[in-house]
Amino acid sequence: INWSDWSSDVCSSDLLYGHGIEREIAYLTVHSVLHLLGYDHVNGGLEKTVMREKEEVVLEALGLAINKV
């Protein structure tokens, strides 16, 4: 792993999506663990929806939910 590239990507995503770096790192961690558990989003549809819902449940439990208006 090239940590320099990874940290640059995290900071870019942070700016792009408008949330803090703490949430971005947590999101990437949760997303990766869900992949390790067999979840996927590549084909879209229900699989993607289920994975995104699970990501948000975990992030909310960590106090890092997206503030929806």
Side-chain angles (χ1 to χ4, degrees):
I1 295 176
N2 183 332
W3 293 107
S4 177
D5 289 345
W6 186 81
S7 64
S8 176
D9 289 346
V10 167
C11 291
S12 295
S13 294
D14 172 37
L15 294 172
L16 179 64
Y17 297 114
H19 53 249
I21 195 164
E22 182 180 35
R23 181 183 169 22
E24 185 64 21
I25 291 171
Y27 168 77
L28 291 171
T29 302
V30 171
H31 186 86
S32 298
V33 169
L34 287 172
H35 275 303
L36 291 172
L37 293 172
Y39 291 91
D40 204 352
H41 56 85
V42 175
N43 295 323
L46 184 58
E47 282 187 351
K48 181 178 181 179
T49 300
V50 169
M51 188 170 177
R52 286 296 301 132
E53 288 173 352
K54 291 191 178 293
E55 289 166 350
E56 288 306 318
V57 166
V58 174
L59 292 169
E60 186 174 328
L62 294 171
L64 298 169
I66 292 177
N67 296 325
K68 295 181 180 178
V69 177

